[in-house]
């Protein structure tokens, strides 16, 4: 009975830790909000820059992976 309660407490603690997510950067939030703007020009510019931002992050993540693999 005691072990079962401890197991449930640990499960609840793990769930609380996993539920807390890292907040998004101000730039990412700005682009996500601008994607729903009323003006079509601003909307398409925001989508273009958001796509560019995601590509830059993906390339940076890949380079970090490659350099980490080489260094190890």
């Amino acid at each position: 009975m005691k072990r079962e309660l401890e197991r449930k407490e640990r499960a609840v603690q793990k769930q609380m830790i996993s539920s807390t997510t890292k907040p998004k950067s101000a730039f990412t939030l700005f682009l996500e909000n601008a994607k729903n703007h009323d003006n079509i020009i601003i909307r398409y510019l925001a989508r273009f820059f958001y796509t560019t931002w995601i590509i830059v992050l993906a390339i940076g993540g890949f380079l970090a992976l490659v350099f980490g693999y080489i260094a190890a």
Side-chain angles (χ1 to χ4, degrees):
M1 183 81 162
K2 185 178 179 182
R3 289 182 192 163
E4 187 176 329
L5 289 174
E6 289 176 1
R7 202 173 312 133
K8 286 181 182 179
E9 286 179 22
R10 276 191 243 131
V12 169
Q13 287 176 352
K14 285 182 183 180
Q15 188 178 26
M16 288 176 55
I17 290 171
S18 66
S19 67
T20 58
T21 58
K22 186 176 178 182
K24 295 182 180 180
S25 70
F27 185 69
T28 304
L29 286 175
F30 171 74
L31 288 177
E32 286 180 358
N33 291 336
K35 286 193 313 184
N36 299 324
H37 198 272
D38 294 335
N39 191 340
I40 193 165
I41 296 171
I42 294 174
R43 191 178 326 141
Y44 282 118
L45 278 173
R47 287 183 183 179
F48 171 76
F49 286 121
Y50 187 75
T51 304
T52 305
W53 179 247
I54 296 298
I55 291 171
V56 167
L57 289 178
I59 291 171
F62 177 73
L63 290 176
L65 175 77
V66 169
F67 290 142
Y69 183 75
I70 291 172

